[in-house]
Amino acid sequence: MFFQPQERLCLFIDGTSLYSASRNLGFEVDYRKLLSFFRSKSNVLRAYYYSAVLETEEYSPLKPLTDWLVYNGYFLVTKTAREYTDHTGRRRVKGNMDIELAVDMLEMAPRIDHAVLFSGDADFRRLLEAVQRQGVRTTVIASIKTSPPLIGDELRRQADQFIELADIASHFTRRQIENRTSRPNPVPPVRHPADHLSDLPEDE
C-alpha cells in the first residue's frame, strides 16, 4: 500500500458495498478500527459513509450504526430507500447513493491529495478519471477474492491503486467465531445491523 503521512486523504465508503463484500469474505467491519487504521497512514480530512435507509413506521434498523458514525468521526450521508413489490411479487429496494458520493468527491477534490473509495461499482470509473485530472490520487478498496469478484475491471484499471479488501481486513475487523471462543464477554464491534436490508435485491 502506498500512503503518505502528510497527504490530505478522504474516505468515501459505500456502506452497502462494504457490508456485502465483508459479509461475503466472512468478517464484520469495526468502524472505529477502520478510521484509526487510515488515520495512522495519512491525514484523514473526512470520512464519508453513504447508506440508503429503509425507514419503517417507528424505527430504522440502521439507526444504531448511523448514530454511532455521526458521533465518532464519520460524515454520514443518507437518503430514504424505497421499498416496493415488483411484477413477480418479490420485495425490492431502490436506494442508490452513487450521485451523492460522486458530488462529494468532486467537491472535495480541490482540497485533498488522495481519495479512497470503498466500492467496486464500475460506474465510478468516470468519477475517478475526473478527480485524477485535478491531481488527486485514487485508491479503490474492494475484492476480487469473492465469487463473483466485487469490482469491475474498468474501475480497477482506472484507480492509481487497488487494494484487496481481504488483505487489510485484519486491521479493522472482528470475526464472530473468534470473538465467541476467545473471550467470555467480548465487546461487540461497531457493525452494520441491517441484515434484512442487504438480503433484499436492489433495483438499480
Side-chain angles (χ1 to χ4, degrees):
M1 292 181 296
F2 181 59
F3 294 97
Q4 300 174 357
Q6 300 305 317
E7 69 179 355
R8 298 166 300 172
L9 181 145
C10 190
L11 302 176
F12 299 88
I13 302 171
D14 181 336
T16 301
S17 177
L18 177 56
Y19 177 67
S20 297
S22 62
R23 188 175 68 168
N24 193 300
L25 292 169
F27 65 79
E28 295 180 348
V29 176
D30 186 323
Y31 288 94
R32 181 183 292 107
K33 289 183 177 180
L34 186 150
L35 190 54
S36 296
F37 173 73
F38 283 97
R39 283 175 171 169
S40 72
K41 301 291 183 183
S42 295
N43 176 22
V44 178
L45 297 187
R46 183 163 288 179
Y48 288 95
Y49 182 94
Y50 301 85
S51 181
V53 179
L54 182 61
E55 298 286 357
T56 63
E57 292 183 358
E58 298 180 353
Y59 181 74
S60 166
L62 274 172
K63 188 171 177 56
L65 174 63
T66 55
D67 284 352
W68 186 93
L69 292 170
V70 168
Y71 289 104
N72 288 274
Y74 287 85
F75 192 88
L76 182 67
V77 182
T78 65
K79 70 179 178 184
T80 302
R82 181 170 62 89
E83 183 179 7
Y84 65 98
T85 303
D86 67 12
H87 66 281
T88 66
R90 297 183 63 190
R91 294 174 62 207
R92 292 188 176 272
V93 172
K94 186 175 182 64
N96 192 297
M97 299 293 293
D98 289 4
I99 295 298
E100 288 80 1
L101 192 155
V103 168
D104 289 338
M105 188 180 292
L106 287 170
E107 287 185 345
M108 287 297 292
R111 304 174 179 86
I112 61 176
D113 305 305
H114 194 165
V116 177
L117 172 66
F118 279 81
S119 178
D121 189 342
D123 289 343
F124 287 128
R125 187 209 66 81
R126 190 73 173 83
L127 172 63
L128 295 195
E129 184 182 25
V131 299
Q132 285 169 335
R133 287 200 300 267
Q134 299 183 52
V136 177
R137 288 201 308 114
T138 60
T139 292
V140 169
I141 300 177
S143 183
I144 60 174
K145 295 185 177 180
T146 57
S147 181
L150 295 177
I151 182 170
D153 289 339
E154 300 91 342
L155 182 67
R156 186 181 176 189
R157 288 194 297 265
Q158 185 67 47
D160 295 300
Q161 176 177 229
F162 166 72
I163 297 177
E164 167 59 49
L165 179 61
D167 292 344
I168 59 173
S170 61
H171 295 286
F172 47 80
T173 64
R174 185 176 299 159
R175 296 182 183 277
Q176 294 184 32
I177 295 176
E178 292 176 357
N179 284 340
R180 291 171 181 172
T181 58
S182 61
R183 292 187 295 175
N185 296 303
V187 178
V190 178
R191 61 183 295 268
H192 198 303
D195 289 350
H196 77 280
L197 179 57
S198 294
D199 289 337
L200 295 176
E202 181 177 337
D203 184 1
E204 298 293 343

